[in-house]
């Protein structure tokens, strides 16, 4: 193909059919069409989300207080005194508090799956938009140093990125001010084959799975926040918390995008 032909091809691409151009928020929508992660329908360009249609967006289950102070799962109805949370009882948390943005179902689950399993970096704008809608999460994150839960290097090479780091970047942008992302931890044990083990076995294998990256320094006066995509048993987050505590971190909370 000559240079001229190549140029002509680009021009043709730019002059797409007017109907197609109307979906448009530029080239990004051609590469990643605005398809709803939940119902696979087209998402209109004047909606609040790029990859969740208006009908599905109404199904987001945002977490509002009151919620469990360890894992962030909402308590429904009237809360009287301390309450055991079925999602995290038995977890002796090495962090102070945990908060979460949405329940991991419907479109909330769709966004996480798109990001983790379909190379869906294009849904990050929607994840940031969700964070902007949960004041109790933003308030905890503001001015903190966000530490993403690391993937094992092998896993990160496979996926091409660490979804928790991407989510932490979204949260930092939404929280603003002096909130920063600092990948201080690395995963030293590959725990990929452990999903078949029971909880106690996983916890004991995870105990030393994380360490500080070489040269990282913890400032005992700083507020640190571990960030992960989802809260499930809390054992991975807790192992990360232990690694940070061992390194001298005193002021440590946890935020996850989804819970379930
Ligand atoms: Zn939809
Ligand atoms: Zn809980």
């Amino acid at each position: 193909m000559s240079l001229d032909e190549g140029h002509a091809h680009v021009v043709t691409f730019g002059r797409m059919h007017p109907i197609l151009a109307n979906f448009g928020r530029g080239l990004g929508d051609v590469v990643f069409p605005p398809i709803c992660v939940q119902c696979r329908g087209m998402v209109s360009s004047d909606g609040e989300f790029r990859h969740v249609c208006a009908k599905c967006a109404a199904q987001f289950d945002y977490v509002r207080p009151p919620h469990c102070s360890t894992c962030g799962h909402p308590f429904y109805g009237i809360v009287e005194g301390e309450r055991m949370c079925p999602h995290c009882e038995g977890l002796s948390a090495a962090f102070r508090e945990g908060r979460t943005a949405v329940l991991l179902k419907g479109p909330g689950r769709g966004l996480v799956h798109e990001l983790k399993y379909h190379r869906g970096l294009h849904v990050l704008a929607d994840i940031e938009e969700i964070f902007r809608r949960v004041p109790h999460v933003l308030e905890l994150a503001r001015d903190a140093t966000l530490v993403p839960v690391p993937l094992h290097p092998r896993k990160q090479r496979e996926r091409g990125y660490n979804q928790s780091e991407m989510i932490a970047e979204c949260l930092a942008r939404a929280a603003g001010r002096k909130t920063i992302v600092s990948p201080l931890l690395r995963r030293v044990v590959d725990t990929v084959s452990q999903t078949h083990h029971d909880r106690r076995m996983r916890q004991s294998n995870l105990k030393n799975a994380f360490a500080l990256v070489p040269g990282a320094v913890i400032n005992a006066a700083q507020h640190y926040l571990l960030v992960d995509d989802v809260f499930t048993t809390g054992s991975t987050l807790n192992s990360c918390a232990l690694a940070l505590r061992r390194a001298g971190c005193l002021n440590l909370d946890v935020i996850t995008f989804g819970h379930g």
Side-chain angles (χ1 to χ4, degrees), residues 35-43 51-57 59 107:
I35 302 284
C36 177
V37 295
Q38 165 92 336
C39 71
R40 312 316 292 185
M42 288 302 278
V43 179
H51 296 280
V52 183
C53 74
K55 196 161 150 261
C56 293
Q59 295 168 30

Side-chain angles (χ1 to χ4, degrees), residues 68 70-73 85 87-88:
C68 169
T70 304
C71 72
H73 196 275
C85 170
H87 304 279
C88 64

Side-chain angles (χ1 to χ4, degrees), residues 3 12 44 78 108 133 169-170 172 178-179 183 208 221 224 243:
L3 257 180
T12 312
S44 104
I78 298 159
R133 292 160 184 242
E169 298 280 359
C170 292
K178 288 188 265 175
T179 316
N208 294 306
Y224 292 92

Side-chain angles (χ1 to χ4, degrees), residues 14 57 82 125 177 183 185:
E82 288 292 304
R177 295 213 309 221
L185 290 174

Side-chain angles (χ1 to χ4, degrees), residues 97-101 131 136-142 146 167 171 225-231 237 253-258:
E97 198 177 334
R99 298 188 187 182
T100 192
F131 277 133
H136 72 295
V137 167
L138 293 182
E139 162 203 292
L140 186 67
R142 207 155 276 145
L146 311 185
I167 288 173
L171 177 57
L225 253 175
L226 278 164
V227 178
D228 207 357
D229 49 0
V230 295
F231 193 106
L237 280 158
D253 295 303
V254 160
I255 285 177
T256 53
F257 174 72

Side-chain angles (χ1 to χ4, degrees), residues 7-247:
H7 182 68
H9 178 74
V10 170
V11 170
T12 312
F13 188 66
R15 282 185 206 145
M16 65 183 98
H17 192 281
I19 288 176
L20 197 58
N22 273 341
F23 292 132
R25 292 187 186 175
L27 191 61
D29 283 346
V30 178
V31 182
F32 304 109
I35 302 284
C36 177
V37 295
Q38 165 92 336
C39 71
R40 312 316 292 185
M42 288 302 278
V43 179
S44 104
S45 60
D46 56 1
E48 295 162 301
F49 295 95
R50 296 284 306 281
H51 296 280
V52 183
C53 74
K55 196 161 150 261
C56 293
Q59 295 168 30
F60 275 123
D61 204 339
Y62 297 101
V63 174
R64 307 278 179 223
H67 52 80
C68 169
S69 63
T70 304
C71 72
H73 196 275
F75 287 145
Y76 299 105
I78 298 159
V79 181
E80 291 171 17
E82 288 292 304
R83 211 154 84 170
M84 285 298 274
C85 170
H87 304 279
C88 64
E89 62 182 328
L91 177 79
S92 64
F95 52 88
R96 187 178 47 200
E97 198 177 334
R99 298 188 187 182
T100 192
V102 289
L103 294 188
L104 202 67
K105 56 188 192 182
R109 176 183 291 272
L111 287 175
V112 171
H113 275 233
E114 192 76 9
L115 177 62
K116 281 174 83 165
Y117 306 116
H118 305 290
R119 297 188 171 271
L121 289 171
H122 51 279
V123 302
L124 289 171
D126 288 349
I127 287 177
E128 185 177 331
E129 180 59 32
I130 301 272
F131 277 133
R132 291 185 189 280
R133 292 160 184 242
V134 277
H136 72 295
V137 167
L138 293 182
E139 162 203 292
L140 186 67
R142 207 155 276 145
D143 296 334
T145 296
L146 311 185
V147 182
V149 169
L151 290 177
H152 190 269
R154 181 194 54 76
K155 188 70 173 278
Q156 182 151 348
R157 271 196 306 276
E158 269 171 31
R159 189 168 288 159
Y161 54 88
N162 174 2
Q163 74 278 358
S164 298
E165 191 171 341
M166 300 293 130
I167 288 173
E169 298 280 359
C170 292
L171 177 57
R173 281 192 297 272
R177 295 213 309 221
K178 288 188 265 175
T179 316
I180 57 160
V181 178
S182 188
L184 294 172
L185 290 174
R186 65 195 169 112
R187 198 183 280 252
V188 289
V189 177
D190 193 349
T191 48
V192 74
S193 56
Q194 299 197 358
T195 40
H196 303 299
H197 294 169
D198 68 14
R199 181 174 176 151
R200 187 177 303 176
M201 173 90 93
R202 275 205 311 270
Q203 276 176 344
S204 97
N205 287 346
L206 267 170
K207 217 163 135 196
N208 294 306
F210 299 94
L212 230 53
V213 297
V217 179
I218 295 294
N219 172 0
Q222 174 62 355
H223 178 208
Y224 292 92
L225 253 175
L226 278 164
V227 178
D228 207 357
D229 49 0
V230 295
F231 193 106
T232 41
T233 63
S235 44
T236 301
L237 280 158
N238 218 30
S239 307
C240 289
L242 284 169
L244 288 172
R245 293 282 290 268
R246 280 196 298 267

